[in-house]
Amino acid sequence: MTNKIKDVSAKAGVSPTTVSRVLNNSKLVNEKTKRKVLQVIEEMGYIPNASAKNLRSKKTMTIGVIVTDILVSYNADIIKGIENMANSLNYKIIICDAQDQKEKEIDYLNLLYNRTIDGMILVTSTLSDQEIIKIAEQGYNVGVIGRNIDHDLVSCVYNDNGKAVQEVIDHLVENGHKEIAFISGLKDAVDSYERLEGFIYALKRNNISFNPDLVDNGDFSEYGGYQAIKRMIAKGQSFTAVFAANDEMALGVYNAFKELDIKIPEQVAVIGVDNIRVCSYVSPRLSTVAQPKYSMGALMTEKLIDQMNENKYTSSRTFKVSSTLLIRESSDYKI
Amino acid sequence: MTNKIKDVSAKAGVSPTTVSRVLNNSKLVNEKTKRKVLQVIEEMGYIPNASAKNLRSKKTMTIGVIVTDILVSYNADIIKGIENMANSLNYKIIICDAQDQKEKEIDYLNLLYNRTIDGMILVTSTLSDQEIIKIAEQGYNVGVIGRNIDHDLVSCVYNDNGKAVQEVIDHLVENGHKEIAFISGLKDAVDSYERLEGFIYALKRNNISFNPDLVDNGDFSEYGGYQAIKRMIAKGQSFTAVFAANDEMALGVYNAFKELDIKIPEQVAVIGVDNIRVCSYVSPRLSTVAQPKYSMGALMTEKLIDQMNENKYTSSRTFKVSSTLLIRESSDYKI
DNA sequence: ATAAAAACAGAAATCGATATCAAATTATAA
DNA sequence: TTATAATTTGATATCGATTTCTGTTTTTAT
C-alpha cells in the first residue's frame, strides 16, 4: 500500500491541509512545520497521487498534440519543440498520431472534452477553421501550428509563406529563370493555397506572367512530385526551374529528371520546402525553405500555456514566424 | 458548467450507479434502462470526467514512453508503433524526450510513481539493468525496447544483434572481403557490445582472425564515424570493408572516404545499421541492417498492456525480433 | 404455488488530494 | 494592556466518478 497524504499528516502531527500546503509551496505554513513535514515526506517516500490532484484542482498539467503523422519530419521537429518547452514548464504531452484520418483527429479531441488534458495543439490539422473555432468557443484551449485562424480564442503559430515564396522566386529570377513551374500540395491544404498565391504574386513582382499550365498538384508525396513533372513534360510544357511546395515532392522531381536524363541544376533548378534531412544528402544537394519548426512548437506551447493560465495579457494570439531560404547546389547556377 | 453523472442520472430517473454501469458496458443493467440512459447522455452531451474515473478506478489508460531523443529516426519509428498500438487498445501515450540526459530520464519515472501513467516503456534507456529491475520489483510496469533484461517482471523487445552481424559479415566475406573494420557505438551501450561480440564471432566462423586495431568507437554520431575512419587510416590500417554500428556513423564514413577520394564500393564496402531514410538517398545507396522498429514498438505495447491487465498468461516476457540485411550499392560489389 | 436463483437497481462509501472557511496563535500598534 | 492585524493551522466539504454492499423484482425450477 502506498502512502497517502493522511499517513504523512498523521506521522508529522499536522493536518492533511498543512501537508498539502507544503507540497504546493504555499507560504501559509510556518518554516519549522514545513521542514518537519518535508522530512516525514522524505522518510516515507511519499509521492502525491496525480489523479486525486487532477480531480480536485481541475488541471492535469498535460497538453495534447495531434499530428497527421509522427514520422513526417516536419511534425517530429515540432513535437520536439513542444515537448521540450512543455517539460520545462512542468507540463506533459500526450501524442496523438491521426494517421492522416480526420476521424481519428476528431476522436482525439475527446481528451480535451473529458479533461484528460488542459489544452490541445493541432499541427497542420485537417479540421476546418470553423470546426476549430467552435472548439475554442466552447471554452477549450486550442492552438494551431501552421495556419492562421483569425479568432481571439485560437492561438496560432504559422509561417510567413508569402515572404518565403517571394525569396525563392527572386532567387530563381536572379539566376536567370523565367519559366518556373510550381508543384503545389494537396488542393485543400491552406499552406498550398497560400504558397500558390504567393507564387503568383511573386512572379508578378518580377514582371513574369503567370502560366497556369506550369502549376500542378503533387499531394505532398514523393511520388506525387514525380507524377506532376511527368504530366507537365507530357503536356509539352517547358520550364527551367521547379519550385515544389515541400521537399518530398522535390525528391520526386529529382527522380523524374533522373529518369529523363535532365541535369540539375544545369538544365533545371529545383527548390523545395521543409529542409528535411535528406536534402543535404541527395546529389545535388537540394535548396529548400527552412522553417523554424522546433521554435514554432516551443512558441506555440509557451503561448498556449500562458493562455490556459491567463498569465499574461496578450493582445494577440497569433504569431507569424519567418522562414529562411537555404540555397544549395540544386538551384545555385545561373542559366 | 459541464454535466456530471448526477445530472444524467437525475434526468434519466436512475441512480448514478446505473449510469456508470451503462458507461462501462456492464451487463447488470436492463436493455431498456440502458437505452434510456444512453439517450439522455446523448441529449445532454455528457462526457465523463477522466480524472474522477482515474482516481476511483486506479487506472489512467496511459503509458509513458521515454526516449533519448524524439528526432532520432529509430526512436520515431518505435514511437509510431507504440502510439498506434496503444491507440487501438484505447490507451494514450505520454512522450518523454530525455534529451540524452539520464537525470531527465529519472525525472520522468515520477509519472509512474505518482500514477499519472499505468506503465512505462523505455527505449534504449541509459538506466542500468539493475535500476530497471528495481523499478519493476517495486510493482511498476516497465518495458524495455532494444535490450534484453533477464527478469520475470521486465518485458523486453530486442533485436537479434548476433544474427544480424553474422549476416553482414557473411555477405562481406562472400564478396571477397577479409579485412573488415568495425565502428562501434558508445562504449557502454549494450547494443555496441553485443554487436562487437557478434562481429568477433562472425569473423571466427569465417576463419578470419580478429584484429583489434580494426575496431574503433564512433559514439553513434556522423562525425564520430568520420573520425573513427580518419584515425584508422592515420594508424596505417588497411581494410576493404567497414561495418558501422549505425547509419549515422556510416554516413560519417562516407564523408571520410570522399575526402580521401576512396571509392565506395569499388575500393571499400560500407554497411550501416538502422535503415534511416537517408540510406536510400546517398550515393551510393547505403547497405544497412533494418530492424522492424514499428513492430517492435507495437509488440512492446501489446505485451506491456497485457501485463498491466494480467490478461494472458505469458510464460515469457522477452521477445527477440530479427533484423534484415538490406544490400544496396555500397556493399554490392565483389572485390 | 413456493423456494431458489438470477437479474436489476440504488445508497452509501470511497479513491486521495485541494479548497473553503473558521479558529487559534502570535505579532504589532495604540 | 488591550485591540487589531497578521500568521499559522485545521475541520470539513468537495472534485466526479466507481465499487461495494444491500435490497427489490423477476425468472426459473420443483
Side-chain angles (χ1 to χ4, degrees), chain B residues 222-291:
Chain B
E222 185 171 342
Y223 187 59
Y226 169 89
Q227 287 177 303
I229 288 296
K230 287 304 196 92
R231 279 194 297 267
M232 282 190 197
I233 303 251
K235 284 197 288 180
Q237 293 297 326
S238 79
F239 48 83
T240 61
V242 179
F243 178 32
N246 78 351
D247 290 336
E248 293 294 336
M249 295 192 293
L251 292 174
V253 171
Y254 267 50
N255 294 338
F257 288 145
K258 188 167 198 173
E259 218 176 280
L260 298 162
D261 210 33
I262 295 176
K263 293 275 170 287
I264 308 171
E266 294 83 354
Q267 295 174 266
V268 64
V270 179
I271 300 185
V273 174
D274 267 359
N275 193 28
I276 64 176
R277 178 123 193 252
V278 173
C279 290
S280 327
Y281 291 88
V282 287
S283 172
R285 287 195 278 266
L286 176 62
S287 294
T288 192
V289 175
Q291 298 167 287

Side-chain angles (χ1 to χ4, degrees), chain A residues 220-287:
Chain A
F220 284 133
S221 75
E222 183 170 342
Y223 188 59
Y226 169 88
Q227 287 177 304
I229 288 298
K230 288 303 196 94
R231 280 194 298 267
M232 282 191 198
I233 303 251
K235 284 198 286 180
Q237 292 299 325
S238 81
F239 48 84
T240 62
V242 180
F243 177 33
N246 78 352
D247 291 335
E248 293 294 335
M249 296 191 293
L251 292 175
V253 170
Y254 267 50
N255 295 338
F257 288 145
K258 188 166 199 175
E259 218 176 281
L260 297 162
D261 211 33
I262 296 175
K263 295 277 171 284
I264 307 171
E266 294 82 355
Q267 296 174 266
V268 64
V270 179
I271 299 186
V273 174
D274 267 0
N275 193 26
I276 64 176
R277 178 124 193 250
V278 174
C279 290
S280 325
Y281 292 89
V282 286
S283 171
R285 288 197 278 266
L286 178 62
S287 293

Side-chain angles (χ1 to χ4, degrees), chain A residues 20 23-24 48-62 90-92 115-118 141 308-309, chain B residues 1 49-52 55 116:
Chain A
S20 173
L23 289 171
N24 293 285
N49 180 293
S51 297
K53 177 165 186 161
N54 292 346
L55 173 58
R56 186 64 245 234
S57 65
K58 292 173 182 295
K59 278 189 203 171
T60 61
M61 301 299 278
T62 307
N90 269 301
Y91 275 76
K92 302 166 282 297
R115 309 285 172 185
T116 293
I117 57 177
D118 297 336
N141 297 107
M308 295 188 315
N309 301 323
Chain B
M1 215 48 227
N49 179 295
S51 297
L55 173 58
T116 294

Side-chain angles (χ1 to χ4, degrees), chain B residues 43-59:
Chain B
E43 274 173 35
M44 305 180 77
Y46 167 71
I47 294 176
N49 179 295
S51 297
K53 176 164 186 160
N54 291 345
L55 173 58
R56 186 64 243 233
S57 65
K58 293 173 181 294
K59 280 188 201 171

